[in-house]
Amino acid sequence: MKKLFYVLMFFCPFVAYSQQNGYKSPLDYIWKNVGNAGFSAGEAMYTSLAFNPSNGQPYVAYEDYANGQKATVMMFNGSNWVNVGNAGFSINQAPWTCLAFSPSNNQPYIAYDDLQFPPNGRGTVMRFDGTNWVNVGNAGFSTDYALCISLVFNPSNNQPCVAFLDGSHSWKATVMQFDGTYWGYIGNEGFSAGAVTYTSLAFSPSGQPYVAFADGVNNPDVIVMKFDGTNWMNVGNAVDSGRGTNSESLAFSPTGQPYIAYQLVCCGAVVKKFDGTNWVYVGNEGFSACTQISLAFNPSDSLPYVATSGMIAQVMKFNGTNWVDVGNEGVSAGQAVNTSLAFNQSGLPYIAYGDYFNGHKATVMKYDSVMVGINESKESKFSLYPNPVTDEITIEIAEDQTPSHLSIVNVNGEDILTRSLIKTKTQIDISNLSSGVYFVRLTGEKSVAVGKFIKQ
């Protein structure tokens, strides 16, 4: 039946109805750019996305190649991406940038491996005080390399904590916390059994720190450990053993259950959860081909979502049975790196990534409705044909809908053609449009209708 519907859609006029009572169909939602795609001045690496809890504005941090590979943080002010403080504010190069907001004062904090400390760099955390970026404790507080640094706030005392690969302890995992004056260790330094790759730090709802990593460089085990107040101890057995892994991402469900997402070199994306005894699969293994993965829970539906990067950025959610695409299978226009997933206060997913299609610069996208900001008050409809279309499309509207304003919107949410309709039947030349899917939004005095067509 579903297949028959799509076949008929291509041969029949498309009739679109306005949405009533604020309801928005999933067909109305698309991935669209937040501001311009590739908005950073130059290449952006280690993109990290977070929302200011005081005003809901998205912020992104990255290693800024246009400013000597130093740290830069930008925010979207509703119209444009603007610098938070100076661009390239760190003293030297700043790889492994990680961004988070303080729950006590809503200030943005950034952690990175600070290469002002040769030869290997050390961990530094800075915060924006409203005017300048200032150090949190001493700059370079670790004793050597602090790679793959992960920054979160302890919910029990609102202090920043970091996990990292500790160069002074044979690349084992170390976790540190700021006490208001100094950075100190949580448990032992270099507590993992062996050298690790990546770290992901998270706190349980009760305030207990957990960290995930791949332990062992050549034949790694994916491990999750928690701090019991005295020691770091394993959470169950190894999540995965003896297989090449990458990019672990740890998060807690709203019910307090730990989940971990990671990338198997041989198979793709994997998500597991701890059931109190064992780590069990969430959906199928290898549900998405990827090189990196970011896991988060949507506050509006409590479902786990993942964003993956590789040849294209992809966002998926687990619907209770399977992992399904959120919107299009491919979100980005081309290759994406360092994909970072976050949700705004309304539960809309956003992703930030290094956008190879736009000169390796930073791009942020959101999954939002083409009906945003519209308050419909009565039904409207129009016909749209032929569909698919090659050169010219016809729009038919009712007599009482004239005049109306027409917008043709691409899959990035950009208006690419607008005009006023004063007749009940109008032909529009779309021969210069690229092949693909487009939305039509028809706005009248008291109604809005949305349709969709395919340009061949």
Side-chain angles (χ1 to χ4, degrees):
M1 179 62 71
K2 191 173 184 180
K3 183 176 181 180
L4 177 60
F5 169 79
Y6 285 114
V7 171
L8 290 174
M9 185 182 74
F10 291 147
F11 290 98
C12 300
F14 188 95
V15 180
Y17 294 85
S18 68
Q19 307 300 314
Q20 299 301 302
N21 301 320
Y23 171 76
K24 299 178 181 69
S25 161
L27 291 176
D28 296 335
Y29 281 75
I30 59 174
W31 283 99
K32 51 189 178 182
N33 293 323
V34 179
N36 294 328
F39 57 81
S40 60
E43 182 176 348
M45 290 293 292
Y46 307 110
T47 48
S48 181
L49 175 68
F51 284 89
N52 187 331
S54 64
N55 56 24
Q57 290 175 321
Y59 284 54
V60 65
Y62 54 93
E63 183 186 14
D64 186 352
Y65 276 65
N67 285 281
Q69 295 178 247
K70 297 178 181 181
T72 290
V73 175
M74 301 186 75
M75 59 164 282
F76 187 66
N77 64 10
S79 302
N80 301 295
W81 286 94
V82 296
N83 291 323
V84 178
N86 294 327
F89 56 81
S90 60
I91 300 298
N92 210 317
Q93 296 175 16
W96 305 105
T97 49
C98 187
L99 178 69
F101 277 86
S102 166
S104 60
N105 57 23
N106 297 326
Q107 288 182 340
Y109 283 56
I110 183 175
Y112 55 92
D113 185 47
D114 188 347
L115 295 185
Q116 72 167 302
F117 299 95
N120 302 324
R122 297 179 186 177
T124 289
V125 173
M126 302 184 77
R127 65 180 175 89
F128 186 66
D129 65 5
T131 305
N132 300 301
W133 286 93
V134 296
N135 290 323
V136 178
N138 293 331
F141 53 78
S142 64
T143 53
D144 203 332
Y145 265 143
L147 297 186
C148 302
I149 197 163
S150 176
L151 169 68
V152 296
F153 280 83
N154 186 334
S156 63
N157 57 22
N158 292 333
Q159 293 289 2
C161 299
V162 293
F164 55 90
L165 280 60
D166 191 342
S168 64
H169 289 85
S170 304
W171 307 112
K172 296 181 179 181
T174 289
V175 176
M176 300 183 73
Q177 178 174 262
F178 187 64
D179 66 4
T181 305
Y182 302 106
W183 286 90
Y185 296 101
I186 297 180
N188 295 329
E189 310 163 52
F191 57 81
S192 59
V196 304
T197 59
Y198 290 90
T199 63
S200 182
L201 179 65
F203 280 83
S204 70
S206 63
Q208 193 170 27
Y210 284 59
V211 65
F213 47 80
D215 192 340
V217 175
N218 298 317
N219 194 32
D221 293 340
V222 179
I223 300 291
V224 176
M225 302 186 76
K226 66 179 179 181
F227 187 67
D228 66 2
T230 305
N231 299 301
W232 286 94
M233 56 186 293
N234 289 335
V235 179
N237 296 324
V239 180
D240 207 318
S241 295
R243 300 196 286 179
T245 65
N246 243 338
S247 186
E248 295 76 29
S249 182
L250 180 67
F252 281 86
S253 73
T255 59
Q257 195 170 26
Y259 281 60
I260 182 172
Y262 54 99
Q263 179 254 345
L264 284 174
V265 174
C266 64
C267 304
V270 180
V271 176
K272 290 186 177 182
K273 64 181 179 180
F274 187 63
D275 65 5
T277 305
N278 300 301
W279 289 94
V280 298
Y281 284 101
V282 178
N284 295 329
E285 177 183 288
F287 58 84
S288 172
C290 65
T291 57
Q292 293 166 313
I293 191 165
S294 176
L295 169 68
F297 279 84
N298 189 330
S300 66
D301 60 21
S302 299
L303 296 177
Y305 284 58
V306 295
T308 60
S309 55
M311 295 307 298
I312 201 162
Q314 186 175 14
V315 179
M316 304 183 77
K317 68 178 180 180
F318 186 67
N319 64 9
T321 305
N322 300 300
W323 287 95
V324 297
D325 289 306
V326 178
N328 300 331
E329 180 178 353
V331 176
S332 59
Q335 186 177 355
V337 296
N338 305 127
T339 306
S340 179
L341 170 68
F343 291 89
N344 72 359
Q345 295 163 329
S346 301
L348 291 178
Y350 283 58
I351 58 168
Y353 56 93
D355 186 351
Y356 274 45
F357 187 78
N358 286 285
H360 301 195
K361 297 180 180 181
T363 290
V364 174
M365 301 186 77
K366 65 178 178 178
Y367 187 63
D368 204 357
S369 174
V370 294
M371 305 289 286
V372 166
I374 296 167
N375 183 19
E376 302 86 8
S377 60
K378 73 173 188 176
E379 183 182 83
S380 66
K381 61 182 179 179
F382 66 93
S383 297
L384 179 67
Y385 60 89
N387 193 6
V389 58
T390 303
D391 297 314
E392 187 176 79
I393 195 162
T394 299
I395 311 290
E396 284 195 45
I397 61 178
E399 187 76 39
D400 60 359
Q401 288 180 258
T402 58
S404 291
H405 180 78
L406 176 78
S407 296
I408 294 180
V409 184
N410 65 18
V411 293
N412 293 321
E414 301 164 332
D415 288 345
I416 58 172
L417 187 152
T418 61
R419 67 172 55 186
S420 296
L421 301 184
I422 58 175
K423 301 178 183 178
T424 58
K425 185 175 181 179
T426 304
Q427 286 79 37
I428 298 174
D429 181 8
I430 49 95
S431 60
N432 62 335
L433 298 185
S434 301
S435 298
V437 176
Y438 294 87
F439 292 86
V440 173
R441 182 166 56 190
L442 188 65
T443 307
E445 182 179 353
K446 297 181 179 180
S447 63
V448 171
V450 175
K452 184 169 67 173
F453 68 87
I454 298 172
K455 167 65 165 62
Q456 291 183 329

